[in-house]
Amino acid sequence: MKAPTRNRPVSLADRQTALDRLEAMLLIRRFEEKCAELYSGGKIWGFLHLYIGEEAVAVGAMPAIRPEDAIVSTYREHGHALARGVPAGAIMAEMFGKANGCSRGRGGSMHLFDVSRRFYGGNAIVGGGLPLAVGLALADKLQQRPVVTVCLFGDGAVAEGEFHESLNLAALWQLPVLFLCENNLYAMGTALDRHQSQAKLHLKADGYGMEATAVDGMDVAAVEEEMGRAMDYVRTGKPLLLVAQTYRFRAHSMYDAELYRSKEEVEAWKKRDPILLWQARLRKLDWLRDEDLQALEARVAIQVQEAVEFAAAGAWEPVEQLLRDVTTPVQL
Amino acid sequence: MTKSTYREAIRAALHEALANNPRTILLGEDVGRYGGAFACSRGLLEEFGPERIRDTPLSESAFVGAGIGAALNGLRPIVEVMTVNFSLLALDQIVNNAATLRHMSGGQVSVPLVIRMATGAGRRLAAQHSHSWEVWYAHVPGLRVLAPATITDARYMLGAALRELDPVVIFEHAMLYPSEGELDKLPEDFNIDRAAVRRPGRDISLITYGGSLPKALAAAAELASAGIEAEVIDLRSLRPLDMPTVLASVARTHRAVIVDEGWRTCSLAAEISAGIMEGAFYDLDAPVARICSAEVPIPYAGHLEDAALPQPARIVAAVQEVLAHHE
């Protein structure tokens, strides 16, 4: 992929931009920590797949995604939705199962939708979103809309037939899809080298004549830089596979025994915590002092608190409405 | 009225849909250069071009999913899955995306997608190419399922399906493609909600759909020569089922035989039978009977395949048995 390199990552263009990225990552982190607490408290049920550790991917990716671009996501999508600008309150209310949730309480944690932001949902069948992304891009192309569809998925999805079918189709039809793989090294509990014969995932694209690139997903500036180049390329009307190397710090869903990885491994990755890495970088530039961080944390805490209040205040969908939205009402 | 084959009627319907709406595209395996595995799309590539008539790789899940994505985003796609036998490779997309996205999103999206596929046995193609899985799809909330059994329905159901705002699966029985008959003009009261009485009769209701309709009509003709007037109901829509039409018929005839090419266990026939029990129990003079496929993977050998499927002679025998119940 040939595109001009910028001298300095956009995220480091100026102090305010750098602090914005930090705040965006902090919001995801604190929001999800609150989710975990509320799960234990019985306010959130079902599966809850936390993104903690992976925040730099969503936050680094999002600036290059324009409002008119489409996003297809996975069941680990709280961070994607927040970074896209889906209101935290609507997300939290969705997890509470309330009617003021972003999917009216019909989807929950794994199915956050906000079509007004072209956020076409968390898809909880691994790989299930990739064909949708191909179709969204096909429709945009045929209707001459100069936009991109960004399809997020994990390394587990790479083993699904739909990954291969979709990459082939997108390349064959030259569709503007950015396939953004968040490689957190585990398909649930199965390590990458135990589920992939070729663990360098970006190499898969070559079989489909597709460009690919890889990036350190713990470095928000690197992600933003690579994503900017990748999106420039996809905007020329061609698909691309971008693999972000990341790591989840928490269990696959809320609880698992984590028999599949060692504590030492997790601790080693936590030394590369994307938020701490970014803070250290900004401190070095003298862009972040303790009081700045406190101010950001305070702002984020308010947002999280307001989200919880919004969710708590929301109404339950009346059971009489159980069957709504199975089919589309005829508009007369 | 003009003569048409079922195949020509489908092709005319596709042509009309593409001509009427520039946002309608056709995608599927061999729909373009090959002209469709059943020749239903012959000539469409030449007329509408490769942007709208899109040959796909053998990637059922990806191209059905792409149809769903395109439907979410302003197009009105028609996806042809060559046959129901291959549709299981796309089943996840159909039941987990097409059928659920509206609900999971709290009503933010609709999936106006039509999926067509051939179905059924009778062509000596053995177990893997002879399935009748209409009931699997009819089981799923969020889908509408149609089974055109006549030339007129083959011609007009597609257009009606494309006016729907939600996903529609259309099953075309492979044995019907060469069948020829009168093609009516679009009936004024044409809809895809109602079952149709294909032959009126007072003695017994034969309830069927798709490729079994000609068999039920043949059985009814034979019964008529023996003085038994069977009413033949063509379900047309398999989800939702038009039970009022079925129940009204049973209320007249007091007896029912259901003819369904699916396997008997957990079949559409079972669903209809349960519906009759719930809605017309006191109208019945005899237990409902079901003529379904034998519980065996469909065999290759012709005599065995014929024995496995519903046939007019078995329908006639079942009718006589049900009528004998009260005599």
Side-chain angles (χ1 to χ4, degrees):
Chain A
M1 185 181 57
K2 302 226 166 24
T5 42
R6 302 182 181 95
N7 293 329
R8 191 171 214 189
V10 183
S11 34
L12 288 169
D14 57 76
R15 177 168 178 266
Q16 190 54 51
T17 304
L19 291 177
D20 287 348
R21 303 293 180 263
L22 179 56
E23 183 172 351
M25 289 195 287
L26 280 172
L27 174 63
I28 297 171
R29 179 72 55 95
R30 303 297 173 237
F31 181 91
E32 287 204 316
E33 286 169 350
K34 177 59 79 175
C35 289
E37 187 188 316
L38 291 163
Y39 192 94
S40 303
K43 294 285 187 195
I44 298 175
W45 323 290
F47 288 146
L48 185 68
H49 305 94
L50 299 181
Y51 193 60
I52 289 175
E54 306 187 27
E55 296 92 339
V57 183
V59 171
M62 225 41 85
I65 307 175
R66 297 175 185 163
E68 61 270 28
D69 295 331
I71 299 175
V72 176
S73 185
T74 69
Y75 56 86
R76 196 182 298 285
E77 88 284 34
H78 311 151
H80 308 152
L82 283 167
R84 180 60 166 176
V86 181
I91 298 173
M92 189 63 86
E94 186 58 33
M95 296 199 211
F96 275 50
K98 296 290 185 71
N100 60 340
C102 60
S103 306
R104 291 192 69 90
R106 304 298 174 127
S109 160
M110 299 190 286
H111 305 297
L112 305 175
F113 283 77
D114 185 346
V115 173
S116 72
R117 292 176 173 81
R118 299 207 78 200
F119 192 81
Y120 287 98
N123 201 301
I125 303 296
V126 172
L130 281 88
L132 295 185
V134 170
L136 287 162
L138 173 65
D140 283 326
K141 179 177 176 171
L142 292 184
Q143 293 171 103
Q144 281 97 40
R145 300 184 190 127
V147 301
V148 167
T149 297
V150 176
C151 182
L152 290 136
F153 55 94
D155 52 292
V158 174
E160 294 284 358
E162 285 176 322
F163 169 85
H164 300 276
E165 292 186 9
S166 298
L167 262 67
N168 180 51
L169 203 51
L172 188 70
W173 289 353
Q174 292 287 283
L175 300 176
V177 183
L178 183 88
F179 293 99
L180 176 47
C181 177
E182 297 181 305
N183 174 12
N184 69 13
L185 295 175
Y186 289 90
M188 203 163 118
T190 303
L192 183 65
D193 59 6
R194 295 181 61 235
H195 75 78
Q196 285 299 319
S197 56
Q198 172 52 274
K200 294 184 180 109
L201 299 181
H202 62 283
L203 297 182
K204 309 271 182 190
D206 197 40
Y208 306 106
M210 186 187 295
E211 291 287 339
T213 180
V215 69
D216 176 4
M218 305 308 255
D219 178 347
V220 69
V223 173
E224 187 166 348
E225 192 66 9
E226 199 58 43
M227 185 72 182
R229 275 198 293 270
M231 288 294 275
D232 287 347
Y233 174 85
V234 176
R235 287 192 201 285
T236 67
K238 294 171 187 163
L240 182 141
L241 172 64
L242 171 56
V243 181
Q245 179 63 64
T246 184
Y247 198 81
R248 75 173 149 73
F249 295 165
R250 299 291 188 107
H252 164 71
S253 183
M254 267 308 287
Y255 306 108
D256 70 44
E258 300 206 44
L259 300 174
Y260 50 85
R261 62 184 188 181
S262 68
K263 286 201 172 71
E264 293 73 28
E265 178 186 305
V266 179
E267 289 312 310
W269 275 97
K270 282 185 176 173
K271 294 199 176 95
R272 300 210 66 238
D273 182 322
I275 296 178
L276 298 183
L277 286 183
W278 193 237
Q279 286 178 13
R281 201 150 167 194
L282 300 195
R283 282 181 194 276
K284 227 178 229 174
L285 290 165
D286 200 24
W287 283 359
L288 181 74
R289 295 184 186 152
D290 288 346
E291 57 268 31
D292 302 320
L293 185 59
Q294 282 163 15
L296 288 181
E297 289 278 18
R299 283 233 300 269
V300 164
I302 289 169
Q303 284 190 71
V304 172
Q305 187 52 39
E306 286 175 352
V308 174
E309 285 164 13
F310 180 82
W316 300 107
E317 182 96 279
V319 174
E320 296 72 45
Q321 294 291 313
L322 174 65
L323 299 183
R324 68 171 284 156
D325 296 330
V326 177
T327 55
T328 308
V330 180
Q331 283 153 12
L332 297 173
Chain B
M1 280 207 277
T2 51
K3 288 259 184 206
S4 170
T5 63
Y6 187 93
R7 183 194 328 277
E8 287 161 356
I10 298 277
R11 184 162 53 206
L14 286 168
H15 186 276
E16 180 183 65
L18 290 155
N20 280 354
N21 188 347
R23 293 185 299 125
T24 294
I25 62 171
L26 174 66
L27 57 159
E29 293 151 349
D30 280 321
V31 298
R33 286 202 189 173
Y34 192 98
F38 296 93
C40 290
S41 52
R42 193 169 287 171
L44 298 179
L45 173 66
E46 292 73 13
E47 185 166 353
F48 296 102
E51 291 285 280
R52 297 181 65 201
I53 309 297
R54 304 187 78 93
D55 281 319
T56 65
L58 309 188
S59 304
E60 286 81 1
S61 195
F63 71 72
V64 171
I68 297 166
L72 286 173
N73 199 12
L75 297 185
R76 285 285 181 141
I78 302 166
V79 176
E80 178 175 313
V81 178
M82 197 179 286
T83 74
V84 68
N85 310 292
F86 317 134
S87 75
L88 299 201
L89 295 164
L91 190 61
D92 173 63
Q93 286 295 328
I94 299 171
V95 306
N96 264 324
N97 277 336
T100 63
L101 285 172
R102 178 163 184 82
H103 188 78
M104 290 197 307
S105 68
Q108 291 182 67
V109 298
S110 296
V111 182
L113 172 69
V114 172
I115 302 170
R116 297 173 41 244
M117 58 183 91
T119 185
R123 298 190 301 143
R124 315 306 187 220
L125 296 177
Q128 293 182 334
H129 280 72
S130 302
H131 289 294
S132 295
W133 283 324
E134 289 89 328
V135 67
W136 291 26
Y137 295 94
H139 184 63
V140 181
L143 299 179
R144 186 189 266 274
V145 180
L146 301 177
T150 65
I151 307 295
T152 301
D153 275 349
R155 173 66 183 82
Y156 299 115
M157 269 190 176
L158 178 69
L162 285 165
R163 283 188 288 279
E164 291 291 306
L165 301 172
D166 300 308
V168 181
V169 184
I170 302 181
F171 287 96
E172 300 160 7
H173 198 288
M175 294 293 281
L176 294 177
Y177 285 119
S179 65
E180 198 175 19
E182 298 294 339
L183 172 61
D184 298 323
K185 285 202 174 117
L186 177 64
E188 267 182 34
D189 58 348
F190 188 86
N191 67 60
I192 51 174
D193 300 318
R194 304 301 302 272
V197 178
R198 298 297 183 197
R199 177 188 175 114
R202 61 176 190 273
D203 297 325
I204 192 164
S205 301
L206 289 179
I207 301 149
T208 190
Y209 66 93
S212 296
L213 176 64
K215 294 176 178 179
L217 288 169
E222 190 181 328
L223 288 162
S225 64
I228 298 165
E229 290 301 326
E231 180 152 286
V232 179
I233 308 286
D234 173 8
L235 290 168
R236 300 178 72 240
S237 171
L238 307 183
R239 184 186 183 93
L241 283 168
D242 175 15
M243 284 309 291
T245 296
V246 171
L247 296 175
S249 176
V250 173
R252 288 191 294 273
T253 65
H254 308 291
R255 294 173 178 85
V257 172
I258 305 158
V259 185
D260 175 3
E261 196 176 303
W263 289 303
R264 175 191 299 257
T265 304
C266 303
S267 58
L268 269 163
E271 173 62 29
I272 294 156
S273 176
I276 292 171
M277 190 273 288
E278 288 164 343
F281 185 77
Y282 296 104
D283 291 324
L284 287 172
D285 284 346
V288 172
R290 290 184 283 159
I291 299 295
C292 300
S293 284
E295 305 270 334
V296 59
I298 303 301
Y300 164 69
H303 68 296
L304 295 177
E305 181 178 38
D306 290 345
L309 304 178
Q311 302 295 352
R314 278 176 63 199
I315 301 169
V316 167
V319 166
Q320 285 165 341
E321 211 168 296
V322 170
L323 289 169
H325 181 86
H326 231 55
E327 286 173 3

